[in-house]
Amino acid sequence: MGVTHRSLSVAVESSFGSLSSSTGLPDVSGLTYVSIPCERDPIVIYGDVVVSERNDARDGSFGIAPEPDTVWSAGARVRRRTGQVQLRVDLTTIGTAADTYASNYLGYLLGAGFLTNVSTMKSDALSAITNVNTFTPTTTSTNYSIGGLIGASLNGRAEYSAVTDNDLSGDVTVSPAFSSAFTGTPTVRGMQTWFPGSRTLTGDRTHSLTFRVDGVGFRSFAYGCVLESV
């Protein structure tokens, strides 16, 4: 049996639905798609065709098939579908080549449902440690955003905490506490954080997505995609 090679790629939309100002139809000509290493079985074109029921008067006991909801594009009808994009992705980090997930497919996917905070502080060798919850950074304390996550490698083990205060005296307070190995001048690293919008930001997200499904003899797009569950 022959193997059919297929792929799934994703891009961040500049505006919801990637609508062209001239035609009103989705236009992905200016977008750069990133391939996703994921599991999709079976890989199919997503969604069901949207149809409009025919309620015309008729002179017999026959029915009239519903009409697909279409738009004209380049002299041909384009059918509209609605559905879900479901995939399984192994979580991998971005290594040392980048300091944010701004160009990474995982950042794309999470940004479609969450707001994000990119830490101003990328790496900092601490100048003094008061206790396992308080330290003095080498950089300015305000570079540590309140609520932001930080991590440190202590005795060969990764430990993580969140910033609760960056006071004017120059100290930073974190919780939960690091372990007793948090001594000397360890290096801490700021981490990009995703969080659900609340209060006046309820329902907000960083962006929407468009997916491209490629296979042998076909290509299909999905526009205006936002995160439903994770």
Side-chain angles (χ1 to χ4, degrees), residues 15-31:
S15 61
F16 184 82
S18 299
L19 299 180
S20 167
S21 58
S22 58
T23 65
L25 299 177
D27 180 10
V28 298
S29 57
L31 301 180

Side-chain angles (χ1 to χ4, degrees), residues 58-100:
R58 60 206 71 176
D59 59 359
S61 57
F62 57 87
I64 300 178
E67 292 184 342
D69 185 4
T70 61
V71 293
W72 284 102
S73 178
R77 287 192 177 275
V78 178
R79 296 184 180 183
R80 185 169 70 90
R81 297 171 178 262
T82 60
Q84 295 177 317
V85 176
Q86 299 183 16
L87 53 103
R88 180 185 178 93
V89 180
D90 291 331
L91 299 184
T92 57
T93 64
I94 52 178
T96 59
D99 53 18
T100 75

Side-chain angles (χ1 to χ4, degrees), residues 51-165:
V51 296
S52 299
E53 296 294 334
R54 293 282 303 275
N55 294 319
D56 306 62
R58 60 206 71 176
D59 59 359
S61 57
F62 57 87
I64 300 178
E67 292 184 342
D69 185 4
T70 61
V71 293
W72 284 102
S73 178
R77 287 192 177 275
V78 178
R79 296 184 180 183
R80 185 169 70 90
R81 297 171 178 262
T82 60
Q84 295 177 317
V85 176
Q86 299 183 16
L87 53 103
R88 180 185 178 93
V89 180
D90 291 331
L91 299 184
T92 57
T93 64
I94 52 178
T96 59
D99 53 18
T100 75
Y101 284 81
S103 301
N104 181 271
Y105 65 89
L106 182 57
Y108 288 1
L109 297 176
L110 292 177
F114 298 98
L115 297 176
T116 187
N117 176 70
V118 180
S119 176
T120 303
M121 185 279 299
K122 307 301 182 185
S123 178
D124 188 16
L126 306 185
S127 62
I129 292 177
T130 303
N131 53 55
V132 291
N133 287 102
T134 307
F135 59 84
T136 303
T138 300
T139 62
T140 306
S141 62
T142 53
N143 286 343
Y144 290 75
S145 55
I146 295 178
L149 300 182
I150 61 173
S153 178
L154 306 176
N155 288 342
R157 183 177 65 181
E159 297 189 20
Y160 303 94
S161 188
V163 177
T164 58
D165 190 25

